[in-house]
Amino acid sequence: MKKYRCKICGYIHEGDTPPDICPVCKAPASEFEEIKTENRKRFNREGNVYTILYASVIVVLVAVMLAVTAQVLGERQKRNESTDKKRQILASLNISSTNKTAEDLYNEYITASYLVDVQGQKTEGDAFFTKLDAVLRLPEAEQCYPVFEATVGGQKKYVLSMRGSGLWGPLWGFISFDDDRNTVYGASFGHESETPGLGAEIESAEFSNKFKGKHFFDTSGKFVSVAIVKTGKTVQGQDYVDGISGGTITSQGVDVMLKNGIGAYENFLKTNN
Amino acid sequence: MTEKDKLILFNPLGKNNPITVQMLGICSALAVTSKLEPAFIMAVSVTAVIAFSNLILSLIRNTIPSRIRIIVQLLIVAALVTVINEILKAYAYDVSKQLSVFVGLIITNCIVMGRLEAFALGNRPWASFLDGVGNGLGYAVLLVIVAFFRELFGSGTLWNFQVMPQSFYDAGYCNNGLMILPPMALIIIACIIWIQRSRDKELQEK
């Protein structure tokens, strides 16, 4: 059913066609115009019900989208993460690798991996998949730390893992030791969210190369760690490397991480020394 | 592309630059401009995020209840950035490692929210997309200029290549440590604003 309005007097006629003449002012059919009624009433977008519904729907949609993405891509991401960890371990042994070669190089160089407790005794467990951040939350007596043994150029190396905190988020790193379990053979550092160009520079080879040949024990065999100092400063009684200028807090974080992280292996490093 | 589209795309590069004229996104411009490389990565990702969030928001702009529009904008931006990061993590892990630091900075970048609120809510999708690209590029230009000066004088390098010759250092030249710190970025941005306004009288406030 359509509605027609008479343009002359405003009379409204209901029907499928306009009337032949207007019953009020006798105007002809051509003077009638159709009234277009909006088919659906305009939705009130400012009402509480609509607002709440809209919010719920969009939140659920986004949640589903994120969940699906995480599920679909999870497998690949895990593989990438483990490849990345292998590359970092290899980097601490001064072996450069690509995503493709990491797997093979890792199997070639790493000869054994195991966990050690605070006393330096080997214990049960898988070293590669040990999450150090979870381990560090346990009481000290129950903590076990991963050790990776490698053979590079016929020489035995030990790669130790550590974790600490920087300015914005976690830091981690691997230090490889010579067979004397005191001299640093190589190092690699990583971070989650340090400031690019400043703290994030700990990732660079320039920084980690400075650790080569440094000693974690002093001449009397006491654990002293390696200090990170401001460029130009020196420390007595222990080896030190220059920190990152402009990345003071990150540098301090690395300093603490070395002291605590490698300090946790003190007994392990002392055995066979 | 019409005249109006061109204006939307190119105005933010100069006369309506998001940093020097709209004064948006200054905090991230301070944080990531100590080296050229991170500045460039940040610029590219912000451009992509503004363009696509503008587009998505513009497509659904007529359905959004105005009382919760800011929350909806934030949700779209955050979801977009997270999904892109997840995809990169699976298919381009090295890129995502570089980018992970920036994710938080991109989501909270005021340019993104500013353009959504000021432009995408009231304009058609194509114009909104162009506005996003334009503002992203305007941001990129500024970031690269600031990072150029900071890296050159702060570290003596450009894109991690040594450009200051060793003979300078032998003659007693030192890298300027202040250049690496955020206050210097603010000073450089202020100088750029000064130059821009002295050349363009229209931008001067009375």
Side-chain angles (χ1 to χ4, degrees):
Chain A
M1 188 77 79
K2 293 173 180 171
K3 284 184 175 176
Y4 295 89
R5 182 196 282 119
C6 170
K7 278 193 252 179
I8 313 284
C9 64
Y11 167 76
I12 290 171
H13 170 85
E14 285 190 11
D16 288 330
T17 52
D20 294 337
I21 49 167
C22 173
V24 179
C25 64
K26 310 282 189 264
S30 57
E31 293 297 322
F32 278 85
E33 64 173 6
E34 192 185 338
I35 303 171
K36 296 236 164 59
T37 48
E38 284 182 25
N39 286 346
R40 54 196 168 89
K41 228 181 94 196
R42 218 178 139 62
F43 206 82
N44 179 15
R45 283 197 283 119
E46 303 309 323
N48 285 340
V49 177
Y50 180 74
T51 306
I52 292 169
L53 274 179
Y54 191 88
S56 327
V57 168
I58 200 158
V59 165
V60 169
L61 273 182
V62 169
V64 168
M65 187 175 77
L66 290 180
V68 169
T69 326
Q71 280 296 321
V72 171
L73 302 175
E75 195 65 24
R76 284 189 76 98
Q77 290 175 351
K78 273 210 190 91
R79 210 159 55 227
N80 285 335
E81 271 163 31
S82 93
T83 308
D84 190 59
K85 191 169 179 182
K86 285 177 181 166
R87 288 186 64 182
Q88 287 181 33
I89 293 174
L90 288 168
S92 77
L93 291 162
N94 307 322
I95 300 163
S96 65
S97 57
T98 64
N99 284 337
K100 287 208 180 78
T101 59
E103 190 77 42
D104 293 336
L105 285 171
Y106 182 85
N107 293 336
E108 184 185 334
Y109 285 103
I110 305 295
T111 47
S113 64
Y114 45 85
L115 294 172
V116 295
D117 60 17
V118 188
Q119 271 71 46
Q121 300 300 313
K122 280 191 198 182
T123 49
E124 293 287 307
D126 183 86
F128 187 77
F129 289 104
T130 298
K131 295 241 182 283
L132 207 53
D133 52 335
V135 170
L136 293 176
R137 279 196 290 272
L138 296 170
E140 202 181 323
E142 291 170 29
Q143 292 183 1
C144 290
Y145 316 103
V147 174
F148 304 89
E149 271 182 28
T151 312
V152 183
Q155 303 221 310
K156 203 171 195 184
K157 311 286 177 198
Y158 298 92
V159 180
L160 308 185
S161 169
M162 58 197 167
R163 204 174 164 92
S165 50
L167 175 57
W168 305 114
L171 305 175
W172 56 88
F174 296 94
I175 301 264
S176 67
F177 285 87
D178 281 338
D179 206 15
D180 67 357
R181 304 196 190 188
N182 180 12
T183 315
V184 176
Y185 177 68
S188 70
F189 295 94
H191 66 93
E192 194 175 281
S193 46
E194 297 309 296
T195 320
L198 301 176
E201 294 291 298
I202 58 163
E203 234 176 9
S204 68
E206 279 145 52
F207 181 68
S208 53
N209 281 344
K210 290 179 190 165
F211 285 84
K212 282 181 196 168
K214 304 286 178 193
H215 298 93
F216 270 84
F217 291 87
D218 67 7
T219 41
S220 62
K222 195 166 145 266
F223 179 82
V224 287
S225 180
V226 171
I228 312 286
V229 297
K230 282 202 169 164
T231 313
K233 294 261 172 66
T234 57
V235 216
Q236 288 297 311
Q238 68 186 112
D239 284 350
Y240 58 87
V241 297
D242 291 342
I244 307 284
S245 40
T248 312
I249 296 182
T250 310
S251 302
Q252 283 167 0
V254 175
D255 185 81
V256 171
M257 175 168 77
L258 289 169
K259 209 175 288 165
N260 297 340
I262 302 300
Y265 288 99
E266 186 179 346
N267 288 319
F268 169 75
L269 291 171
K270 273 180 177 164
T271 49
N272 300 344
N273 235 352
Chain B
M1 205 184 280
T2 64
E3 276 305 303
K4 207 180 144 218
D5 285 346
K6 272 187 193 144
L7 214 61
I8 291 172
L9 185 59
F10 293 116
N11 234 2
L13 286 176
K15 247 181 200 153
N16 196 19
N17 190 287
I19 296 183
T20 62
V21 181
Q22 300 175 47
M23 299 294 162
L24 292 172
I26 290 188
C27 17
S28 60
L30 305 185
V32 299
T33 50
S34 61
K35 288 265 166 78
L36 264 176
E37 196 185 356
F40 185 75
I41 296 173
M42 180 72 180
V44 172
S45 11
V46 166
T47 308
V49 171
I50 312 181
F52 286 104
S53 55
N54 259 6
L55 179 68
I56 295 172
L57 193 84
S58 177
L59 284 171
I60 62 167
R61 69 185 188 282
N62 289 329
T63 68
I64 302 173
S66 63
R67 272 186 293 174
I68 57 164
R69 66 183 192 284
I70 302 270
I71 302 173
V72 174
Q73 290 164 14
L74 200 62
L75 193 72
I76 290 171
V77 178
L80 192 69
V81 175
T82 312
V83 167
I84 292 176
N85 191 39
E86 291 281 310
I87 292 172
L88 287 176
K89 234 188 222 169
Y91 293 98
Y93 193 76
D94 292 333
V95 181
S96 97
K97 249 175 78 180
Q98 292 229 302
L99 220 57
S100 65
V101 189
F102 298 98
V103 169
L105 284 172
I106 297 170
I107 295 176
T108 53
N109 194 315
C110 8
I111 300 181
V112 180
M113 292 292 281
R115 293 325 293 174
L116 287 176
E117 181 74 9
F119 199 91
L121 267 184
N123 286 282
R124 291 176 167 279
W126 173 238
S128 302
F129 183 76
L130 289 179
D131 178 76
V133 174
N135 276 284
L137 291 178
Y139 176 74
V141 169
L142 245 281
L143 241 60
V144 168
I145 295 176
V146 175
F148 175 84
F149 287 112
R150 286 184 72 188
E151 186 171 356
L152 182 63
F153 295 111
S155 316
T157 56
L158 284 179
W159 207 278
N160 291 333
F161 289 113
Q162 190 69 35
V163 284
M164 283 288 175
Q166 190 57 41
S167 54
F168 276 39
Y169 292 102
D170 295 339
Y173 173 82
C174 276
N175 285 331
N176 186 343
L178 185 57
M179 275 289 182
I180 302 220
L181 302 175
M184 208 56 206
L186 205 55
I187 293 173
I188 296 175
I189 292 176
C191 291
I192 296 172
I193 294 175
W194 177 24
I195 295 168
Q196 193 189 13
R197 297 205 176 189
S198 65
R199 292 166 62 102
D200 192 341
K201 299 274 183 273
E202 263 178 65
L203 294 175
Q204 291 174 10
E205 283 116 16
K206 286 179 192 99

